[in-house]
Amino acid sequence: MFDGAKDQTALVRMDGLHKSFGPVRVLQGLDIEMKRGDRVVVIGPSGGGKSTLLRVLMGLENINAGSISFGGQPYISVKDGKTVIDPKVRRSIGMVFQHYTLFPHLSVLQNLILAPCKVNGESASGAKERARALLTRFGLGAKADAYPNQLSGGQKQRVAIARALMLDPKLMLFDEVTSALDPELVAEVEQVMLELAAQDMPMVIVTHDMWFARNIASRVIFCAGGVVVEDGPPEQVLGSPIHERTREFINRVFHIRT
Amino acid sequence: MDYSLDLGAVTRNFGPLLEGLWVTIQLTLAANVIGLVLGFVIALLVMSRVALIRVPATAFVEFFRCTPAIVQIVWFFYCVPMLFNIYLGSMTMGIVALGLNLAAFNGEAYRAAIQSVPREHRDAAVALGLSPLQSTLHIILPTAFRLAIPVLLTNGIVIFQQSALVAIVAVPDLMYEAKSLATKTYRPIETFTIVALVYFAVSFPISQLVGWLERRRSVAMA
Ligand SMILES: Nc1ncnc2c1ncn2[C@@H]1O[C@H](COP(=O)(O)OP(=O)(O)O)[C@@H](O)[C@H]1O
Ligand SMILES: [Mg+2]
């Protein structure tokens, strides 16, 4: 998509997000605006609320205060202490998790067509055709009839990505999708994500892989203590961060990797 | 010991034992139908958010789990007709008593299986846009059924064995026929040994099957 002007319009606006688990305050007034052209990588200390942020965006968690709009439409808000989520908007967001979430009783193909058929009422034959094309594109054409327990971790995560793409999402969320994988399987999953990036799919990615972050991000957000500490292009946030906390975190993570 | 073994006394009288085995199998199958269906309903009731539904269902389960099966059966046979003016054939009473007992245990098996479906799978279903009902029907229940199968099978064979208890209330099952044969022939050792072997011969393959299913599952989950 070559449309620079359109890419600058806001896709997601998060305003003053507050989220607590009992006494644990995880998100403490988060404001993030994401443009259509953005590929946001979120980094930060473990337990800092990165997963919670993605789960809130996916409409999987209630929030205590704040609001989210998506493509200019109200998506999530809080009314009388209750979280109100627009399910139509939620359907345009896809998510891939850290843990394997392929449904074990369904084959790869059945995993892919379940939501298109049940939620969108697509015909099974049409959905299967799209699913096979997608699997072939991801190098999984031979695995259509396999069951999840017959796949490697890397294959499972690639199928999970394909399953989310079946619903034509306008935004994809990735929560540490490679951190459960054996090191030699990480690249094949990251490759698929880089391919999506090349097609300008808007994404929010949580990862600890700084090499990958640098390669895929158009923008890096460092979250700690439930707020955005630093937000900027990857060269800045990963290369020469402004804030002391960011610098300390980057040094620690790079130190572990080398 | 002045007792020479004579298996012929039993093998010559195999007819009644086979009839008894057939009654035992009917009891087991019918009790399992009740146990599998009612157990599922009970699991749903036990997990209800409404206390008025949850509390009685839980009480039902705990009653059957915390009293001896033999007491349940005797209570059923003697107290239900007197308390509720319900008179059923002894076979039907046996089926209902065993079926209710099994429903309580299967209810727990279903509940545990439903609750052990990983949270991430429910989340993934929501992320894919499935409604709560669709997620329950297409994801949670099919996964839970698979998880529950080994326990349901085990409970099923336990009921096959427990069904021997209905002999004391005159249901002509395998155990009942064995007792009358032993009395008639004065051959208790041969009779009860062979009867034990018959129970074993039915139960053992199923328990092996359960072991195999569990090994296969631990591989599948890895
Ligand atoms: N379902 C939950 N119940 C209670 N506490 C939770 C739950 N989910 C996350 N938390 C807490 O919220 C904090 C942020 O967790 P998380 O969003 O997973 O962080 P991250 O992904 O950055 O490691 C942690 O302190 C964690 O223990
Ligand atoms: Mg996390």
Side-chain angles (χ1 to χ4, degrees):
Chain A
M1 213 188 328
F2 184 70
D3 194 349
K6 192 182 165 204
D7 282 3
Q8 288 310 304
T9 60
L11 179 65
V12 184
R13 263 188 78 114
M14 296 173 237
D15 278 310
L17 291 185
H18 283 265
K19 168 69 187 172
S20 309
F21 291 104
V24 185
R25 294 208 242 151
V26 183
L27 306 182
Q28 309 199 51
L30 213 60
D31 303 302
I32 300 175
E33 190 180 294
M34 191 182 161
K35 311 265 191 299
R36 281 179 204 277
D38 281 347
R39 276 185 308 282
V40 177
V41 165
V42 181
I43 58 171
S46 169
K50 302 181 299 298
S51 296
T52 304
L53 170 63
L54 258 57
R55 292 174 56 79
V56 165
L57 252 178
M58 189 64 250
L60 295 171
E61 300 278 0
N62 292 328
I63 54 175
N64 302 94
S67 67
I68 305 179
S69 68
F70 187 91
Q73 300 240 72
Y75 168 32
I76 297 176
S77 58
V78 182
K79 287 206 177 68
D80 304 326
K82 278 212 161 71
T83 306
V84 186
I85 300 172
D86 184 335
K88 266 211 307 292
V89 176
R90 173 160 66 188
R91 259 177 251 144
S92 50
I93 303 177
M95 180 160 176
V96 184
F97 299 79
Q98 175 176 2
H99 298 96
Y100 304 134
T101 58
L102 295 185
F103 306 127
H105 62 293
L106 301 177
S107 71
V108 166
L109 200 64
Q110 289 167 333
N111 262 281
L112 261 65
I113 68 168
L114 179 72
C117 293
K118 301 294 173 195
V119 179
N120 296 348
E122 189 177 348
S123 76
S125 62
K128 277 183 186 165
E129 200 171 307
R130 290 198 304 123
R132 284 188 196 281
L134 205 49
L135 289 170
T136 307
R137 198 176 119 202
F138 286 180
L140 293 161
K143 297 289 178 189
D145 298 313
Y147 279 81
N149 64 31
Q150 299 167 312
L151 303 179
S152 73
Q155 291 168 335
K156 283 182 204 176
Q157 291 301 61
R158 282 187 284 155
V159 172
I161 295 171
R163 183 175 69 179
L165 291 176
M166 285 293 289
L167 296 165
D168 290 326
K170 304 287 173 286
L171 170 69
M172 282 290 294
L173 312 176
F174 296 89
D175 188 8
E176 295 196 41
V177 295
T178 57
S179 61
L181 298 180
D182 292 335
E184 74 269 22
L185 301 176
V186 169
E188 62 187 57
V189 177
E190 292 183 342
Q191 189 53 48
V192 165
M193 291 166 66
L194 285 166
E195 199 184 301
L196 285 180
Q199 294 172 347
D200 285 333
M201 169 67 80
M203 313 187 203
V204 181
I205 301 162
V206 175
T207 181
H208 288 296
D209 185 335
M210 292 304 150
W211 171 87
F212 180 61
R214 200 186 279 269
N215 270 286
I216 200 161
S218 67
R219 180 176 163 193
V220 177
I221 294 178
F222 175 65
C223 268
V227 292
V228 174
V229 175
E230 190 155 350
D231 178 354
E235 311 80 57
Q236 178 206 315
V237 181
L238 301 173
S240 49
I242 297 167
H243 292 262
E244 182 53 37
R245 276 177 95 178
T246 320
R247 205 172 310 151
E248 193 196 315
F249 174 78
I250 300 283
N251 285 339
R252 210 169 52 232
V253 175
F254 271 121
H255 190 70
I256 292 166
R257 279 177 52 80
T258 51
Chain B
M1 198 182 71
D2 209 14
Y3 188 100
S4 59
L5 289 177
D6 175 15
L7 286 174
V10 182
T11 48
R12 273 192 301 278
N13 290 294
F14 228 77
L17 285 187
L18 279 181
E19 277 166 36
L21 177 61
W22 175 231
V23 171
T24 292
I25 287 174
Q26 286 175 295
L27 276 170
T28 306
L29 292 179
N32 267 285
V33 170
I34 296 177
L36 289 171
V37 176
L38 185 62
F40 182 69
V41 176
I42 286 170
L44 297 182
L45 300 183
V46 164
M47 288 186 293
S48 167
R49 254 170 271 178
V50 184
L52 216 61
I53 297 170
R54 185 178 65 241
V55 173
T58 309
F60 174 91
V61 170
E62 292 308 325
F63 169 77
F64 281 97
R65 295 204 327 159
C66 301
T67 52
I70 191 161
V71 174
Q72 294 162 18
I73 288 164
V74 170
W75 188 89
F76 220 76
F77 270 81
Y78 295 105
C79 304
V80 166
M82 291 169 72
L83 287 175
F84 304 107
N85 221 1
I86 295 172
Y87 296 90
L88 299 167
S90 63
M91 184 72 183
T92 313
M93 289 291 250
I95 288 170
V96 174
L98 292 169
L100 291 179
N101 173 288
L102 184 56
F105 282 87
N106 281 354
E108 279 303 284
Y110 284 122
R111 184 198 54 74
I114 290 171
Q115 290 179 344
S116 70
V117 173
R119 182 182 80 148
E120 290 82 14
H121 286 197
R122 298 163 195 255
D123 290 341
V126 175
L128 288 169
L130 297 178
S131 69
L133 179 66
Q134 288 172 326
S135 158
T136 304
L137 288 181
H138 300 296
I139 310 300
I140 297 172
L141 293 183
T143 316
F145 266 112
R146 272 142 205 271
L147 290 170
I149 284 172
V151 186
L152 296 174
L153 274 176
T154 302
N155 290 351
I157 13 176
V158 169
I159 276 298
F160 171 69
Q161 291 154 13
Q162 302 269 41
S163 73
L165 296 173
V166 299
I168 62 162
V169 287
V171 176
D173 73 328
L174 177 57
M175 188 62 194
Y176 181 92
E177 296 295 348
K179 272 202 296 191
S180 46
L181 186 61
T183 315
K184 208 167 66 191
T185 58
Y186 303 107
R187 290 282 163 195
I189 294 183
E190 292 86 341
T191 312
F192 290 127
T193 305
I194 285 180
V195 164
L197 288 174
V198 171
Y199 277 108
F200 181 83
V202 176
S203 300
F204 185 69
I206 299 176
S207 109
Q208 291 304 102
L209 174 69
V210 171
W212 178 78
L213 284 174
E214 278 176 342
R215 277 193 304 280
R216 205 182 63 148
R217 191 176 71 196
S218 64
V219 172
M221 287 292 172

